[in-house]
mmCIF file of all heavy atoms in Angstrom:
data_model
loop_
_atom_site.group_PDB
_atom_site.id
_atom_site.type_symbol
_atom_site.label_atom_id
_atom_site.label_comp_id
_atom_site.label_asym_id
_atom_site.label_seq_id
_atom_site.Cartn_x
_atom_site.Cartn_y
_atom_site.Cartn_z
ATOM 1 N N PRO A 178 -53.444 82.409 165.235
ATOM 2 C CA PRO A 178 -54.781 81.746 165.128
ATOM 3 C C PRO A 178 -55.345 81.759 163.733
ATOM 4 O O PRO A 178 -55.149 82.730 163.027
ATOM 5 C CB PRO A 178 -55.627 82.521 166.142
ATOM 6 C CG PRO A 178 -54.670 83.145 167.089
ATOM 7 C CD PRO A 178 -53.453 83.457 166.271
ATOM 8 N N ASP A 179 -56.052 80.715 163.355
ATOM 9 C CA ASP A 179 -56.688 80.682 162.048
ATOM 10 C C ASP A 179 -57.560 81.865 161.884
ATOM 11 O O ASP A 179 -58.327 82.302 162.751
ATOM 12 C CB ASP A 179 -57.528 79.401 161.874
ATOM 13 C CG ASP A 179 -56.636 78.170 161.816
ATOM 14 O OD1 ASP A 179 -55.416 78.306 161.516
ATOM 15 O OD2 ASP A 179 -57.182 77.039 162.022
ATOM 16 N N GLY A 180 -57.511 82.463 160.660
ATOM 17 C CA GLY A 180 -58.416 83.634 160.349
ATOM 18 C C GLY A 180 -57.832 84.950 160.681
ATOM 19 O O GLY A 180 -58.399 85.972 160.340
ATOM 20 N N LEU A 181 -56.693 84.972 161.359
ATOM 21 C CA LEU A 181 -56.098 86.240 161.799
ATOM 22 C C LEU A 181 -54.757 86.542 161.028
ATOM 23 O O LEU A 181 -54.049 87.403 161.419
ATOM 24 C CB LEU A 181 -55.766 86.246 163.278
ATOM 25 C CG LEU A 181 -57.013 86.153 164.209
ATOM 26 C CD1 LEU A 181 -56.522 86.152 165.691
ATOM 27 C CD2 LEU A 181 -57.998 87.306 163.896
ATOM 28 N N GLU A 182 -54.537 85.848 159.906
ATOM 29 C CA GLU A 182 -53.293 85.976 159.181
ATOM 30 C C GLU A 182 -53.111 87.406 158.631
ATOM 31 O O GLU A 182 -52.028 87.974 158.769
ATOM 32 C CB GLU A 182 -53.235 84.968 158.072
ATOM 33 C CG GLU A 182 -53.151 83.534 158.481
ATOM 34 C CD GLU A 182 -54.458 82.884 158.754
ATOM 35 O OE1 GLU A 182 -55.510 83.594 158.705
ATOM 36 O OE2 GLU A 182 -54.499 81.692 159.055
ATOM 37 N N ASP A 183 -54.190 87.993 158.112
ATOM 38 C CA ASP A 183 -54.041 89.325 157.550
ATOM 39 C C ASP A 183 -53.814 90.385 158.660
ATOM 40 O O ASP A 183 -53.007 91.281 158.479
ATOM 41 C CB ASP A 183 -55.322 89.710 156.729
ATOM 42 C CG ASP A 183 -55.445 88.943 155.408
ATOM 43 O OD1 ASP A 183 -54.413 88.398 154.999
ATOM 44 O OD2 ASP A 183 -56.521 88.953 154.869
ATOM 45 N N ALA A 184 -54.477 90.208 159.788
ATOM 46 C CA ALA A 184 -54.254 91.121 160.899
ATOM 47 C C ALA A 184 -52.842 90.909 161.396
ATOM 48 O O ALA A 184 -52.203 91.947 161.765
ATOM 49 C CB ALA A 184 -55.288 90.773 162.004
ATOM 50 N N PHE A 185 -52.303 89.699 161.438
ATOM 51 C CA PHE A 185 -50.959 89.504 161.885
ATOM 52 C C PHE A 185 -49.948 90.241 160.989
ATOM 53 O O PHE A 185 -49.013 90.872 161.418
ATOM 54 C CB PHE A 185 -50.660 88.034 161.890
ATOM 55 C CG PHE A 185 -49.186 87.679 162.186
ATOM 56 C CD1 PHE A 185 -48.679 87.754 163.471
ATOM 57 C CD2 PHE A 185 -48.348 87.248 161.156
ATOM 58 C CE1 PHE A 185 -47.393 87.469 163.775
ATOM 59 C CE2 PHE A 185 -47.045 86.960 161.409
ATOM 60 C CZ PHE A 185 -46.553 87.058 162.749
ATOM 61 N N LEU A 186 -50.162 90.136 159.633
ATOM 62 C CA LEU A 186 -49.235 90.817 158.694
ATOM 63 C C LEU A 186 -49.287 92.290 158.838
ATOM 64 O O LEU A 186 -48.255 92.981 158.765
ATOM 65 C CB LEU A 186 -49.582 90.386 157.250
ATOM 66 C CG LEU A 186 -49.255 88.928 156.888
ATOM 67 C CD1 LEU A 186 -49.822 88.584 155.546
ATOM 68 C CD2 LEU A 186 -47.688 88.804 156.902
ATOM 69 N N LYS A 187 -50.477 92.850 159.039
ATOM 70 C CA LYS A 187 -50.607 94.328 159.182
ATOM 71 C C LYS A 187 -49.885 94.718 160.521
ATOM 72 O O LYS A 187 -49.224 95.804 160.539
ATOM 73 C CB LYS A 187 -52.050 94.715 159.294
ATOM 74 C CG LYS A 187 -52.800 94.607 157.967
ATOM 75 C CD LYS A 187 -54.275 94.956 158.082
ATOM 76 C CE LYS A 187 -54.939 94.800 156.714
ATOM 77 N NZ LYS A 187 -56.418 95.110 156.767
ATOM 78 N N TRP A 188 -49.978 93.929 161.564
ATOM 79 C CA TRP A 188 -49.241 94.188 162.843
ATOM 80 C C TRP A 188 -47.748 94.153 162.592
ATOM 81 O O TRP A 188 -47.033 94.997 163.012
ATOM 82 C CB TRP A 188 -49.721 93.186 163.862
ATOM 83 C CG TRP A 188 -49.030 93.279 165.176
ATOM 84 C CD1 TRP A 188 -49.029 94.386 166.025
ATOM 85 C CD2 TRP A 188 -48.338 92.266 165.851
ATOM 86 N NE1 TRP A 188 -48.238 94.091 167.175
ATOM 87 C CE2 TRP A 188 -47.871 92.791 167.090
ATOM 88 C CE3 TRP A 188 -47.955 90.969 165.479
ATOM 89 C CZ2 TRP A 188 -47.101 92.031 167.992
ATOM 90 C CZ3 TRP A 188 -47.259 90.192 166.412
ATOM 91 C CH2 TRP A 188 -46.773 90.777 167.629
ATOM 92 N N GLN A 189 -47.290 93.194 161.823
ATOM 93 C CA GLN A 189 -45.851 93.045 161.557
ATOM 94 C C GLN A 189 -45.400 94.195 160.690
ATOM 95 O O GLN A 189 -44.251 94.671 160.868
ATOM 96 C CB GLN A 189 -45.589 91.751 160.848
ATOM 97 C CG GLN A 189 -45.601 90.520 161.674
ATOM 98 C CD GLN A 189 -44.454 90.525 162.733
ATOM 99 O OE1 GLN A 189 -43.316 90.818 162.395
ATOM 100 N NE2 GLN A 189 -44.832 90.277 163.990
ATOM 101 N N GLN A 190 -46.242 94.760 159.804
ATOM 102 C CA GLN A 190 -45.841 95.928 159.031
ATOM 103 C C GLN A 190 -45.566 97.153 159.956
ATOM 104 O O GLN A 190 -44.679 97.924 159.722
ATOM 105 C CB GLN A 190 -46.927 96.237 158.048
ATOM 106 C CG GLN A 190 -46.926 95.238 156.863
ATOM 107 C CD GLN A 190 -48.107 95.470 155.893
ATOM 108 O OE1 GLN A 190 -49.025 96.247 156.219
ATOM 109 N NE2 GLN A 190 -48.117 94.829 154.758
ATOM 110 N N ARG A 191 -46.453 97.293 160.938
ATOM 111 C CA ARG A 191 -46.260 98.426 161.936
ATOM 112 C C ARG A 191 -44.956 98.186 162.707
ATOM 113 O O ARG A 191 -44.203 99.169 162.938
ATOM 114 C CB ARG A 191 -47.439 98.537 162.901
ATOM 115 C CG ARG A 191 -48.735 98.883 162.245
ATOM 116 C CD ARG A 191 -49.748 99.429 163.254
ATOM 117 N NE ARG A 191 -50.031 98.519 164.288
ATOM 118 C CZ ARG A 191 -50.892 97.535 164.201
ATOM 119 N NH1 ARG A 191 -51.643 97.412 163.068
ATOM 120 N NH2 ARG A 191 -51.178 96.722 165.229
ATOM 121 N N ILE A 192 -44.637 96.954 163.055
ATOM 122 C CA ILE A 192 -43.464 96.660 163.760
ATOM 123 C C ILE A 192 -42.247 96.974 162.874
ATOM 124 O O ILE A 192 -41.273 97.552 163.355
ATOM 125 C CB ILE A 192 -43.426 95.156 164.268
ATOM 126 C CG1 ILE A 192 -44.493 95.010 165.362
ATOM 127 C CG2 ILE A 192 -42.064 94.811 164.798
ATOM 128 C CD1 ILE A 192 -44.613 93.534 165.839
ATOM 129 N N GLN A 193 -42.265 96.501 161.649
ATOM 130 C CA GLN A 193 -41.162 96.744 160.754
ATOM 131 C C GLN A 193 -40.888 98.232 160.524
ATOM 132 O O GLN A 193 -39.732 98.695 160.504
ATOM 133 C CB GLN A 193 -41.401 96.055 159.420
ATOM 134 C CG GLN A 193 -40.224 96.136 158.450
ATOM 135 C CD GLN A 193 -40.461 95.430 157.152
ATOM 136 O OE1 GLN A 193 -41.538 95.010 156.869
ATOM 137 N NE2 GLN A 193 -39.434 95.315 156.373
ATOM 138 N N ALA A 194 -41.963 98.964 160.423
ATOM 139 C CA ALA A 194 -41.768 100.463 160.227
ATOM 140 C C ALA A 194 -41.108 101.111 161.474
ATOM 141 O O ALA A 194 -40.273 101.941 161.233
ATOM 142 C CB ALA A 194 -43.123 101.105 159.989
ATOM 143 N N ALA A 195 -41.434 100.594 162.642
ATOM 144 C CA ALA A 195 -40.820 101.072 163.866
ATOM 145 C C ALA A 195 -39.331 100.663 163.926
ATOM 146 O O ALA A 195 -38.410 101.440 164.293
ATOM 147 C CB ALA A 195 -41.567 100.611 165.075
ATOM 148 N N GLU A 196 -39.066 99.394 163.582
ATOM 149 C CA GLU A 196 -37.692 98.897 163.610
ATOM 150 C C GLU A 196 -36.778 99.673 162.711
ATOM 151 O O GLU A 196 -35.587 99.995 163.014
ATOM 152 C CB GLU A 196 -37.715 97.452 163.161
ATOM 153 C CG GLU A 196 -38.309 96.487 164.156
ATOM 154 C CD GLU A 196 -38.528 95.121 163.501
ATOM 155 O OE1 GLU A 196 -38.462 95.010 162.251
ATOM 156 O OE2 GLU A 196 -38.883 94.155 164.271
ATOM 157 N N ALA A 197 -37.308 100.102 161.544
ATOM 158 C CA ALA A 197 -36.517 100.791 160.551
ATOM 159 C C ALA A 197 -35.964 102.093 161.027
ATOM 160 O O ALA A 197 -35.032 102.634 160.494
ATOM 161 C CB ALA A 197 -37.329 100.919 159.270
ATOM 162 N N GLU A 198 -36.627 102.645 162.101
ATOM 163 C CA GLU A 198 -36.196 103.963 162.646
ATOM 164 C C GLU A 198 -35.085 103.782 163.667
ATOM 165 O O GLU A 198 -34.513 104.759 164.109
ATOM 166 C CB GLU A 198 -37.393 104.670 163.340
ATOM 167 C CG GLU A 198 -38.529 105.021 162.335
ATOM 168 C CD GLU A 198 -38.073 105.923 161.261
ATOM 169 O OE1 GLU A 198 -37.315 106.846 161.546
ATOM 170 O OE2 GLU A 198 -38.533 105.807 160.112
ATOM 171 N N PHE A 199 -34.744 102.549 163.993
ATOM 172 C CA PHE A 199 -33.717 102.313 165.002
ATOM 173 C C PHE A 199 -32.375 102.116 164.363
ATOM 174 O O PHE A 199 -32.260 101.525 163.272
ATOM 175 C CB PHE A 199 -34.059 101.076 165.800
ATOM 176 C CG PHE A 199 -34.926 101.362 167.032
ATOM 177 C CD1 PHE A 199 -36.266 101.774 166.845
ATOM 178 C CD2 PHE A 199 -34.496 101.246 168.323
ATOM 179 C CE1 PHE A 199 -37.068 102.091 167.936
ATOM 180 C CE2 PHE A 199 -35.289 101.503 169.403
ATOM 181 C CZ PHE A 199 -36.577 101.957 169.210
ATOM 182 N N ARG A 200 -31.317 102.566 165.036
ATOM 183 C CA ARG A 200 -29.941 102.514 164.532
ATOM 184 C C ARG A 200 -29.572 101.046 164.359
ATOM 185 O O ARG A 200 -29.772 100.164 165.166
ATOM 186 C CB ARG A 200 -29.005 103.119 165.526
ATOM 187 C CG ARG A 200 -27.527 103.105 165.067
ATOM 188 C CD ARG A 200 -26.593 103.606 166.166
ATOM 189 N NE ARG A 200 -26.915 104.980 166.583
ATOM 190 C CZ ARG A 200 -26.414 106.026 165.930
ATOM 191 N NH1 ARG A 200 -25.630 105.928 164.892
ATOM 192 N NH2 ARG A 200 -26.848 107.248 166.370
ATOM 193 N N GLY A 201 -28.919 100.783 163.132
ATOM 194 C CA GLY A 201 -28.411 99.462 162.858
ATOM 195 C C GLY A 201 -29.363 98.445 162.268
ATOM 196 O O GLY A 201 -28.966 97.332 161.998
ATOM 197 N N PHE A 202 -30.630 98.859 162.055
ATOM 198 C CA PHE A 202 -31.571 97.935 161.448
ATOM 199 C C PHE A 202 -31.175 97.481 160.072
ATOM 200 O O PHE A 202 -30.765 98.310 159.236
ATOM 201 C CB PHE A 202 -32.987 98.545 161.433
ATOM 202 C CG PHE A 202 -34.010 97.730 160.684
ATOM 203 C CD1 PHE A 202 -34.564 96.599 161.203
ATOM 204 C CD2 PHE A 202 -34.353 98.084 159.362
ATOM 205 C CE1 PHE A 202 -35.490 95.850 160.462
ATOM 206 C CE2 PHE A 202 -35.289 97.360 158.658
ATOM 207 C CZ PHE A 202 -35.877 96.247 159.225
ATOM 208 N N LEU A 203 -31.262 96.187 159.814
ATOM 209 C CA LEU A 203 -30.886 95.704 158.482
ATOM 210 C C LEU A 203 -32.064 95.092 157.736
ATOM 211 O O LEU A 203 -32.315 95.483 156.579
ATOM 212 C CB LEU A 203 -29.781 94.601 158.601
ATOM 213 C CG LEU A 203 -28.434 95.092 159.119
ATOM 214 C CD1 LEU A 203 -27.455 93.956 159.236
ATOM 215 C CD2 LEU A 203 -27.867 96.199 158.211
ATOM 216 N N ARG A 204 -32.807 94.176 158.391
ATOM 217 C CA ARG A 204 -33.875 93.517 157.666
ATOM 218 C C ARG A 204 -34.857 92.853 158.591
ATOM 219 O O ARG A 204 -34.504 92.538 159.782
ATOM 220 C CB ARG A 204 -33.303 92.447 156.660
ATOM 221 C CG ARG A 204 -32.399 91.443 157.270
ATOM 222 C CD ARG A 204 -31.762 90.562 156.253
ATOM 223 N NE ARG A 204 -30.713 91.223 155.504
ATOM 224 C CZ ARG A 204 -29.421 91.057 155.760
ATOM 225 N NH1 ARG A 204 -29.011 90.296 156.740
ATOM 226 N NH2 ARG A 204 -28.490 91.678 155.052
ATOM 227 N N HIS A 205 -36.034 92.657 158.104
ATOM 228 C CA HIS A 205 -37.109 92.038 158.829
ATOM 229 C C HIS A 205 -37.789 91.066 157.801
ATOM 230 O O HIS A 205 -38.423 91.479 156.873
ATOM 231 C CB HIS A 205 -38.151 93.082 159.315
ATOM 232 C CG HIS A 205 -39.393 92.540 159.971
ATOM 233 N ND1 HIS A 205 -39.638 92.795 161.322
ATOM 234 C CD2 HIS A 205 -40.385 91.800 159.549
ATOM 235 C CE1 HIS A 205 -40.800 92.238 161.652
ATOM 236 N NE2 HIS A 205 -41.279 91.630 160.557
ATOM 237 N N LYS A 206 -37.626 89.829 157.965
ATOM 238 C CA LYS A 206 -38.012 88.804 156.981
ATOM 239 C C LYS A 206 -39.072 87.920 157.579
ATOM 240 O O LYS A 206 -38.906 87.370 158.736
ATOM 241 C CB LYS A 206 -36.802 87.958 156.573
ATOM 242 C CG LYS A 206 -37.152 86.801 155.628
ATOM 243 C CD LYS A 206 -37.542 87.295 154.234
ATOM 244 C CE LYS A 206 -37.687 86.159 153.254
ATOM 245 N NZ LYS A 206 -38.035 86.597 151.899
ATOM 246 N N ILE A 207 -40.213 87.761 156.891
ATOM 247 C CA ILE A 207 -41.365 86.922 157.372
ATOM 248 C C ILE A 207 -41.389 85.642 156.556
ATOM 249 O O ILE A 207 -41.383 85.718 155.324
ATOM 250 C CB ILE A 207 -42.672 87.681 157.311
ATOM 251 C CG1 ILE A 207 -42.650 88.938 158.148
ATOM 252 C CG2 ILE A 207 -43.821 86.764 157.765
ATOM 253 C CD1 ILE A 207 -43.882 89.744 158.116
ATOM 254 N N GLU A 208 -41.537 84.504 157.239
ATOM 255 C CA GLU A 208 -41.820 83.232 156.567
ATOM 256 C C GLU A 208 -43.138 82.689 157.057
ATOM 257 O O GLU A 208 -43.348 82.522 158.231
ATOM 258 C CB GLU A 208 -40.673 82.223 156.869
ATOM 259 C CG GLU A 208 -39.360 82.531 156.178
ATOM 260 C CD GLU A 208 -39.484 82.474 154.622
ATOM 261 O OE1 GLU A 208 -40.359 81.728 154.121
ATOM 262 O OE2 GLU A 208 -38.810 83.227 153.971
ATOM 263 N N ARG A 209 -44.023 82.377 156.052
ATOM 264 C CA ARG A 209 -45.250 81.778 156.431
ATOM 265 C C ARG A 209 -45.082 80.293 156.777
ATOM 266 O O ARG A 209 -44.030 79.702 156.485
ATOM 267 C CB ARG A 209 -46.198 81.797 155.175
ATOM 268 C CG ARG A 209 -46.705 83.170 154.799
ATOM 269 C CD ARG A 209 -47.465 83.129 153.507
ATOM 270 N NE ARG A 209 -48.139 84.362 153.177
ATOM 271 C CZ ARG A 209 -49.368 84.700 153.427
ATOM 272 N NH1 ARG A 209 -50.136 83.837 154.144
ATOM 273 N NH2 ARG A 209 -49.864 85.925 153.156
ATOM 274 N N PRO A 210 -46.072 79.773 157.540
ATOM 275 C CA PRO A 210 -45.992 78.281 157.781
ATOM 276 C C PRO A 210 -45.953 77.508 156.465
ATOM 277 O O PRO A 210 -46.470 77.877 155.398
ATOM 278 C CB PRO A 210 -47.323 78.031 158.521
ATOM 279 C CG PRO A 210 -47.740 79.353 159.090
ATOM 280 C CD PRO A 210 -47.274 80.368 158.072
ATOM 281 N N ILE A 211 -45.235 76.366 156.537
ATOM 282 C CA ILE A 211 -45.144 75.460 155.368
ATOM 283 C C ILE A 211 -45.710 74.114 155.763
ATOM 284 O O ILE A 211 -45.117 73.398 156.624
ATOM 285 C CB ILE A 211 -43.694 75.271 154.869
ATOM 286 C CG1 ILE A 211 -43.101 76.670 154.451
ATOM 287 C CG2 ILE A 211 -43.643 74.279 153.709
ATOM 288 C CD1 ILE A 211 -41.636 76.604 154.030
ATOM 289 N N PRO A 212 -46.884 73.718 155.282
ATOM 290 C CA PRO A 212 -47.545 72.488 155.727
ATOM 291 C C PRO A 212 -46.611 71.308 155.635
ATOM 292 O O PRO A 212 -45.915 71.098 154.618
ATOM 293 C CB PRO A 212 -48.728 72.366 154.743
ATOM 294 C CG PRO A 212 -48.970 73.756 154.326
ATOM 295 C CD PRO A 212 -47.687 74.437 154.247
ATOM 296 N N GLY A 213 -46.529 70.521 156.683
ATOM 297 C CA GLY A 213 -45.672 69.348 156.709
ATOM 298 C C GLY A 213 -44.292 69.627 157.166
ATOM 299 O O GLY A 213 -43.538 68.671 157.506
ATOM 300 N N LEU A 214 -43.877 70.927 157.299
ATOM 301 C CA LEU A 214 -42.528 71.270 157.738
ATOM 302 C C LEU A 214 -42.543 72.011 159.046
ATOM 303 O O LEU A 214 -41.883 71.643 159.998
ATOM 304 C CB LEU A 214 -41.830 72.081 156.663
ATOM 305 C CG LEU A 214 -41.509 71.419 155.375
ATOM 306 C CD1 LEU A 214 -40.819 72.309 154.393
ATOM 307 C CD2 LEU A 214 -40.696 70.134 155.600
ATOM 308 N N HIS A 215 -43.347 73.115 159.089
ATOM 309 C CA HIS A 215 -43.435 73.843 160.378
ATOM 310 C C HIS A 215 -44.761 74.600 160.371
ATOM 311 O O HIS A 215 -45.248 75.069 159.312
ATOM 312 C CB HIS A 215 -42.291 74.763 160.616
ATOM 313 C CG HIS A 215 -42.140 75.889 159.586
ATOM 314 N ND1 HIS A 215 -42.661 77.161 159.793
ATOM 315 C CD2 HIS A 215 -41.595 75.950 158.365
ATOM 316 C CE1 HIS A 215 -42.387 77.892 158.752
ATOM 317 N NE2 HIS A 215 -41.807 77.189 157.827
ATOM 318 N N ASP A 216 -45.394 74.730 161.528
ATOM 319 C CA ASP A 216 -46.660 75.348 161.693
ATOM 320 C C ASP A 216 -46.534 76.831 162.068
ATOM 321 O O ASP A 216 -47.528 77.531 162.055
ATOM 322 C CB ASP A 216 -47.479 74.624 162.741
ATOM 323 C CG ASP A 216 -47.728 73.190 162.375
ATOM 324 O OD1 ASP A 216 -47.883 72.924 161.183
ATOM 325 O OD2 ASP A 216 -47.760 72.349 163.286
ATOM 326 N N GLU A 217 -45.390 77.277 162.504
ATOM 327 C CA GLU A 217 -45.264 78.684 163.004
ATOM 328 C C GLU A 217 -44.951 79.621 161.871
ATOM 329 O O GLU A 217 -44.458 79.304 160.783
ATOM 330 C CB GLU A 217 -44.091 78.755 163.982
ATOM 331 C CG GLU A 217 -44.239 77.892 165.198
ATOM 332 C CD GLU A 217 -43.692 76.512 165.025
ATOM 333 O OE1 GLU A 217 -43.294 76.184 163.872
ATOM 334 O OE2 GLU A 217 -43.740 75.711 165.970
ATOM 335 N N TRP A 218 -45.340 80.926 162.080
ATOM 336 C CA TRP A 218 -44.882 81.980 161.340
ATOM 337 C C TRP A 218 -43.499 82.377 161.917
ATOM 338 O O TRP A 218 -43.341 82.473 163.115
ATOM 339 C CB TRP A 218 -45.805 83.203 161.395
ATOM 340 C CG TRP A 218 -47.142 83.033 160.656
ATOM 341 C CD1 TRP A 218 -48.122 82.191 161.039
ATOM 342 C CD2 TRP A 218 -47.521 83.698 159.504
ATOM 343 N NE1 TRP A 218 -49.171 82.315 160.227
ATOM 344 C CE2 TRP A 218 -48.843 83.250 159.211
ATOM 345 C CE3 TRP A 218 -46.981 84.685 158.709
ATOM 346 C CZ2 TRP A 218 -49.575 83.650 158.140
ATOM 347 C CZ3 TRP A 218 -47.707 85.150 157.609
ATOM 348 C CH2 TRP A 218 -48.989 84.622 157.319
ATOM 349 N N ILE A 219 -42.535 82.663 161.069
ATOM 350 C CA ILE A 219 -41.131 82.869 161.527
ATOM 351 C C ILE A 219 -40.685 84.264 161.053
ATOM 352 O O ILE A 219 -40.818 84.530 159.850
ATOM 353 C CB ILE A 219 -40.151 81.756 161.070
ATOM 354 C CG1 ILE A 219 -40.587 80.398 161.710
ATOM 355 C CG2 ILE A 219 -38.731 82.070 161.461
ATOM 356 C CD1 ILE A 219 -39.816 79.264 161.190
#
C-alpha cells in the first residue's frame, strides 16, 4: 500500500535476518516497482 514502503522494507530486513540463520540460505534480493513495467515489489 502507498505510504507503507519504509515499513515494508524494515519488515523484509527482519525476514532476511531470520533467513540467514537457516541452512543453505544464499541471497534475498528486493526489486522495487518500476513504473510502466510492473507494480509489485519482487
